[in-house]
Amino acid sequence: MDSRSHPRSHPRSHSRSHSRSQGAAGIIAQVALLLCSSCGTTGEEVCDGTLVSNLPPASFRSSSQLSSSHAPGFAKLNRRDGAGGWSPLTSDRYQWLQVDLGRRTKIAAVATQGRYGSSDWLTSYLLMFSDTGHNWKQYRQEDSVGSFPGNSNADSVVQNKLQQPGTARFLRLLPLHWNPSGRIGLRLEAYGCPYTSDVLSLGGGGGLVYGLSPGARRSSRDVVSLEFKTTRSSGTLLQAEGGGGLALSLQLERGTLLLLTRGPASPEPRRVASLGSLLDDQHWHRVALERRGSQLNVTVDGHAERVRIPAEFGSWDAEQLSVGALRGLVSERNFRGCLENLEHNGLDLVELLKNKDRRVTAVGNVTFSCAESVSVAVTFPGPQSFLRLPWATSSPSEGASVGFQFRTWNDAGLLLTFDLPEGGGVVWLYLSEARLRLQIHKDGRAPLELSAGSALNDGQWRSVELTSRRGRLTIAVDAEEEGVAHAGHPVSAGSQLFFGGCPAAEDTQDCKNPFGVFQGCMRLLRMEDQPVDLIKVQQRLLGNYSHLQIDMCGIIDRCSPSRCEHGGRCSQSWTVFRCNCSASGYSGATCHSSVYEPSCEAYKHNGNTSGHFYIDVDGSGPIRPLLVYCNMTEENTWMVIRHNNTELTRVRPSPGVEQHSVHFDYSTEEEQLLAAISQSEHCEQALSYRCRKSRLLNTPEGSPFSWWLGGPGPGRVQTYWGGAQPGSRQCACGLRGDCVDPQHYCNCDADRAEWAEDSGLLTHEESLPVRALVLGDIQRAGSEAAYRVGPLRCHGDKNFWNAAFFDKETSYLHFPTFHGELSADISFLFKTTASSGVFLENLGIKDFIRIELSSSTRVVFSLDVGDGPLEVGVDSAVPLNDDRWHRVRAERNVREASLRLDGLPVAAREAPADGHLHLQLNSQLFIGGTASRQKGFRGCIRALRLNGVALDLEERARITPGVRAGCPGHCGSYGSLCRNRGRCAERAAGFLCDCGLSAYTGAFCHTEVSARFTPGTTVSYTFRQPHESGRNSSARPSSIYSDTTLRGEDVSLSFSTTQSPALLLYVSSRHGESLALLINKHEALEVRYKLDGSRGAEVLRSAARSLADGRLHAVSLRRRTDAVSLQIDQRPKEVFNLTADGEFNAIKSLVLGRVHDSEDVDPDLSPLASLGFAGCLSVVRFNPVSPLKAALLHPHSSPVVVTGPLVRSSCGSSASANPHAAEDTRRLSDRSGSVGSGQPLVNAVRTDSALIGGVIAAAVFVMASGLAVGGRFLYRRRETYRSQEAEGVKREDSQDFAFTDQRDSQSVSTQKPKEYFI
């Protein structure tokens, strides 16, 4: 039901009548209610009868009245009696108007009107309900909004419908705001219908026992419901007992309702749920339990929770239901209070008890009424609240005694203070760190301090006693003396005591508060064992106060139900709640937004490298984050999800077992797995079977020997094999037509004694993942078999590049209404050249939500949930209309509205503490425009998600004029991810990094290409003449060729060695010119330029020393004609000048390692060149040429020759040599095993994966050693090495993206050396 106000266009008309006697009017009121009894009390029946218009004047009370003609009895809607309504003597927030409806009544709406013919009306008010005229409870809409909108003039009627009808005898209205040009003036009406119920009062020893009939026990659905009220915080409410010693119990404990189970195996009670809070407030609370098997739905005051109870309760029948007096499962205390509407499966048990039905038995003290004790509480709601009471008692020498109870959520605040009457001094009793503390400051003496209690901010009623008698000072909390001191003389109060705070400084000098104000409730105040009459305080007949709410406790538990999502932990103060989101994987004021990206594709485009990541497929949705391995070494970004056995496994037959069955556990929740598959563009899983006399599928006409289960849930039976099509009953060879036996469609079905294999990829997503494997033909003599089911591998993200282009301001896409009532998050990327435009808009009657580019540097998130427009903006220092992608993330929850733009600080605006909660929208959702078709957005929007759900922009754009599907041009935004001279290349959906001109490789050209050299290793790169390149018909990568006459060079490499002297690089020309980089015998770097064949080489020596220390050092050499600069590591650049003409003519070759052709070597370097190089070289670049990369990755398409063993290596710690590598290393190893946004997890690997990784690493090492021995044997003939290039080098998949075998992708470890023979 709508909670907003609606002016009544046709007010109800009531005949004007003169006053009747009180008795006659009372009879008329009762008759009116009875006539409306046909309305009933169910929500589906009409309940809108007038409740106030026929009441006598005695039913009205008020805080005051301006005159007898402004009395409360004249406050009836549309009446003109007296002065035309009620007005109090003073217009302030301490006034109220109260109506006695005569009996408990269901109230569905309230209407207000100003005082007739005046300028007096209310603009807002609070509504209070009570059964007794005391202990008022504020009615709140949406569990938070406390105020109701009033009038804008004296005559119109504004009716506010209550979302949930209230039930009360007394109604009280408190003005909040009124016409500033007038005063408080009011006429009102309430609408509703009679409320009837059977009430039961239990006095602590009383109760009710209901024996269920056999028919009820056979019911598959049990429902128990009741309403209760109590002032006791603990007690057993009800218990259901049945066969097998099983029992369910509802127990009040500290004002919270606990659901407990008990069984024969565990006689001790087990808590399965905790619901509600502050249930000991002497107000009615409704509880309902609905059981269907072992599923239990528990509802407390409209807040439902689904609870799974132990499985043995699935077929359990309750035989007896006990209410009140019974032995509790946790507390021995029985319930004391009132019950009504106690029903079991629609049967009213109290009515049965009244009718003396044999199935229901009363135990102990039970009455059919609700006797309530009157306890007047006072609420201190804010910083200006205080209560001042006079102290009038015996002489100061006898001491003092003060007591009270309080409840609060705050851990600090002043409870009580007073001045000492003699000798000066002050006493403070206050809360600090949720402990009770007492300080006495007396002139000329050291302060006296005492403390007591702990965790006193738990919302429970706490009793405090401060007593000073005969020099003994004590403070007690909950009747337990914890603070005792000897004051030397009695501590007595002066003329007055202040509770909760102090008046404003200008109002008094007698009260000082250095501890902050108290926010909470107090009751049962006593001074010298005499109770304080708070009703007299309210009437201004005793003491003084400010900003108090008397005769009610306005405490609210903002953590029940908790607004913290995804397991966030809720804590609160008097005014706000807070969510602790640590370890939840979510962030924000309510732990709503995921801190993880939705896919490996998204992590890659944040600049991350391969590793373990949590992905959150549905963002803020209910599916939890999933730990996966992201392989970013290829052009496609692969998400890898392992199961418990991805290795080749031999089948070991068991005696008497004809089939071998194996199940695969992915250690993920079902919904996580299916969602990850669903959002991927392609998924696959390797399936292979190695066999010897073990048939697989037999023939298409016969029953298969083996099958597998795949797909959602437990999976469906699949009778095809890897590489074939679903339903084909074939293997890959059958599809290709190359099986070893043409009569069969699988190699293994040939049933031969030789080993055979059927393997391939399963790519039909509806059949993935593989859940189980059943192998049948394994028991025959001579049968042997092994199987392997690889990890699930998926690439692509259907939503990440999903985009639409809006080319007109009037174009837009529309989707169904966005439902984000309590929590809403919206994320997308945009790029534009326009300076303004609306990205998104959704409207309601009054509410709306909108995100727009308001200027070229500002994005604004605006909304209205009923409290008025709220706007959050983020300003950018750089223009946003730069045709680059920018990311927007907006969130609205019950605490705040926030906006994020790119990496800028988040902007947030807090929501009103007692504001509206629900965002109510009803129009279509407009993307790229507005309903008015004005201020539309021109540009691209991509990857749009609302509350974690991706919207398919491209699908809608294809059928919408003025909007195009897709949006090209990504390098402007992501090109910076391509490092080390890598070039960004556009793709239809995304981009790739072309590493052709880079000495690096990998997805972002960030992976070093390094190798370990021995003294016998040579890498020789030959530069071809232009006419040679022209005759070559095939296109060659630009990284392999260069101009042959140079006026400058850019040379860079990294090395590590302990050899000195050592030649690192040598470049020769056809005219006797050369360039050499070497380590001399002093472990210093030398550069030797010989640019004139008729002269000797010019030697440039670096000042850096100790370079042959085994550490990795980076060298950068740059020459422009005769100017040379040299930099080693992070040392300052060194500048040299040459005397030669500056041309390097007709370069011929570049050699790394040992130089074999002595004719090309400068005679001065010949001895050194023949020694070779022992160490590691990395990322070698000579102008655009990367000879080491060409040798390792492109040996067939490059003019490069490798002799001797070449071992691929990481060269140790590359972080010191390459800043990009250092960055990547931090990303991979910052926090081992911990999770952060965008941080891979390198050690979050299961033990079996680590073990398997170790085995594989050992196998690789053995193979490498064998190849090394073989390499040395083959070294006799250089041509032989060249013929072995294809087998010796493990090539990357392309020159742009590195390829690594990911069979054991979760075994993340230092890359083992692989030896290459070329």
Side-chain angles (χ1 to χ4, degrees), residues 558-559 561-573 576-584 586-592 823 891 893-895:
R558 303 177 189 274
C559 289
S562 175
R563 301 295 183 188
C564 303
E565 304 177 46
H566 301 109
R569 298 185 298 277
C570 184
S571 62
Q572 61 186 313
S573 66
V576 297
F577 72 92
R578 296 177 180 83
C579 296
N580 183 347
C581 306
S582 60
S584 70
Y586 296 82
S587 65
T590 60
C591 311
H592 175 75
S823 295
E891 180 183 346
N893 52 61
V894 296
R895 275 284 313 277

Side-chain angles (χ1 to χ4, degrees), residues 737-754:
D738 59 359
C739 295
V740 295
D741 186 344
Q743 301 299 318
H744 297 283
Y745 298 99
C746 294
N747 290 322
C748 289
D749 287 343
D751 201 22
R752 296 186 177 182
E754 298 82 14

